């Protein structure tokens, strides 16, 4: 394991923020990860486990060790009449896994097409899009406790998945490095989920009445490409905020003031579209210098070139304040701010 000092992270975070890590190293195998956690440099310094850097906003240099996870491999570990169990190493690019599974006609991941980042991070915030979250297809993961060196398998109940949430963002935050994740995917009779966003409209436009998982992937890729900043072109970390979940009384109060409010049922509560609130508060398309709010999706804060992480963060705080004043709603960041 080679260590680099004062190492630029600009190309390793999708916000393209120009910061440096005091120490940087890359791990390419489970053995590398095991060696790393018994290395003093890792234990005595502040640590950051880095996947694709697509859910992180750096506001300053990282005064510790950044470990880029780069172990690769996708294998079928089990199979029965209806399901295939696919294991992917943490360093696999998420969308390469989705592509591979869709090509093999294994159903379950297609609605999560084109989400940036790596497999190892997918359970951390229970990634979700177009009506599907990874908890819907998650079988288990293997991780190592960085303090005890103990390897542990986590099953769905152990992960305590919630909306953009899991045990790894709460009681186990910073305690584990994930080696690999196993997904339980359907070999046939796929659950085609077209209920979210404008997937149905796109199917109609293309005259598709019975979409396959391959059709769903294609449609979602084209919707996402049209709506979201392209990674590598414009810096962002996707949704900067979570959609707030409110109780029914609050929803009724807001709906009477703002009849066009965009919302979705969420068990006995209501989820509000944070993008709509931000747009209504006047921020959509805002730009100052190199930072701003993406014109086609108000949930996404962007770096158009050489913005500082702190500028983006301050903009986020101003948006939170305005939304609080206007709607009495407290937005929470989805992005990890460091
Ligand atoms: C344009 C764009 C669109 C996006 N769209 C979506 C979307 O639709 N839905 C969605 O849910 N997210 C979305 N995101 C956010 C992001 O892609 C996901 O959160 C993704 O899972 C982050 O993966 P990563 O590998 O980049 O993680 P990183 O940003 O590198 O890390 C995220 C967190 O996971 C931890 N971590 C990473 N790997 C490991 C590991 N192996 N073991 C332990 N901890 C680890 C890190 O320490 C950090 O806390 C989007 C981002 C962008 C830029």
């Amino acid at each position: 394991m080679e260590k680099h000092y004062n190492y630029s992270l600009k190309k390793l975070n999708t916000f393209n923020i120009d910061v440096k890590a005091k120490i940087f190293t890359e791990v390419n195998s489970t053995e590398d990860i095991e060696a790393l956690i018994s290395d003093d440099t890792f234990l005595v310094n502040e640590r950051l486990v880095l996947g694709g850097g697509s859910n992180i906003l750096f506001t300053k240099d990282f005064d510790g060790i950044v470990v880029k996870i780069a172990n690769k491999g996708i294998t079928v570990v089990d199979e029965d009449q209806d399901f295939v169990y696919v294991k992917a190493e943490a360093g696999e690019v998420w969308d390469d896994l989705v592509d591979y599974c869709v090509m093999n006609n294994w159903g379950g991941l297609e609605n999560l097409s084109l989400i940036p980042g790596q497999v190892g991070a997918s359970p951390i915030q229970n990634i979700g899009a177009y009506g599907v979250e990874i908890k819907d297809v998650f079988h288990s993961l293997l991780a190592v406790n960085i303090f005890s060196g103990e390897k542990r398998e986590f099953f769905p109940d152990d992960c305590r998945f919630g909306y953009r949430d899991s045990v790894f963002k709460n009681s186990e935050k910073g305690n584990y490095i994930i080696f690999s994740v196993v997904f339980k995917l359907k070999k046939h009779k796929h659950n085609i989920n077209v209920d979210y966003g404008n997937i149905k409209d796109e199917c109609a436009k293309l005259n598709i009445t019975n979409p396959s998982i391959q059709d769903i992937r294609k449609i979602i890729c084209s919707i996402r490409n049209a709506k979201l900043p392209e990674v590598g072109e414009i810096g962002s970390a996707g949704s900067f905020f979570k959609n707030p979940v409110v109780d029914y009384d609050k929803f009724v109060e807001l709906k009477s003031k703002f009849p066009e409010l965009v919302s979705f049922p969420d068990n006995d509560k209501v989820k509000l579209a944070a993008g709509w609130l931000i747009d209504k508060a006047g921020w959509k398309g805002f730009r100052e210098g190199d930072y701003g709010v993406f014109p086609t999706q108000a949930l996404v804060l962007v770096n158009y070139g050489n913005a500082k992480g702190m500028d983006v963060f301050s903009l986020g705080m101003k948006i939170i304040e305005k939304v609080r004043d206007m709607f009495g709603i407290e937005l929470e960041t989805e992005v990890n701010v460091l």
Side-chain angles (χ1 to χ4, degrees), residues 33-95:
I33 298 173
E34 283 173 327
L36 172 83
I37 61 168
S38 47
D39 183 325
D40 277 352
T41 316
F42 182 68
L43 295 170
V44 300
N45 279 286
E46 199 184 334
R47 297 165 289 268
L48 173 66
V49 177
L50 188 67
S54 64
N55 198 21
I56 291 178
L57 173 65
F58 288 104
T59 57
K60 53 182 182 305
D61 288 341
F62 190 80
D63 188 22
I65 179 164
V66 172
V67 177
K68 166 81 183 175
I69 303 293
N71 56 329
K72 302 269 185 199
I74 301 176
T75 41
V76 170
V77 286
D78 201 1
E79 172 162 20
D80 56 33
Q81 216 181 334
D82 298 322
F83 294 99
V84 59
Y85 296 79
V86 180
K87 177 173 134 186
E89 302 300 319
E92 278 294 336
V93 170
W94 172 260
D95 197 56

Side-chain angles (χ1 to χ4, degrees), residues 241 278 283 293 301 315-323:
F241 303 100
I278 296 166
W283 288 102
V293 179
L301 305 194
L315 172 61
M317 292 306 104
K318 282 187 198 150
I319 292 172
I320 289 180
E321 207 177 300
K322 187 75 191 288
V323 167

Side-chain angles (χ1 to χ4, degrees), residues 105-122:
N105 207 32
W106 300 328
L109 297 180
E110 57 282 356
N111 288 49
L112 304 174
S113 288
L114 226 55
I115 296 181
Q118 300 186 174
V119 167
S122 63

Side-chain angles (χ1 to χ4, degrees), residues 14 48-56 69 90 114-122 124-129 164 176-179 224 228-229 231 236-239 334 336:
T14 59
L48 173 66
V49 177
L50 188 67
S54 64
N55 198 21
I56 291 178
I69 303 293
L114 226 55
I115 296 181
Q118 300 186 174
V119 167
S122 63
I124 304 274
Q125 74 152 1
N126 178 26
I127 55 169
R164 300 293 184 276
Y176 283 90
I177 297 181
I178 295 171
F179 287 141
R224 291 183 68 104
L228 292 168
V231 172
S236 92
S239 303
E334 179 176 316
N336 299 284

Side-chain angles (χ1 to χ4, degrees), residues 201-222:
D201 299 345
E202 291 298 312
C203 287
K205 265 194 228 158
L206 298 167
N207 275 330
I208 300 174
T209 41
N210 256 327
S212 63
I213 61 170
Q214 291 77 15
D215 294 326
I216 297 289
R217 172 162 168 81
K218 245 186 249 159
I219 287 170
I220 288 180
C221 287
S222 99

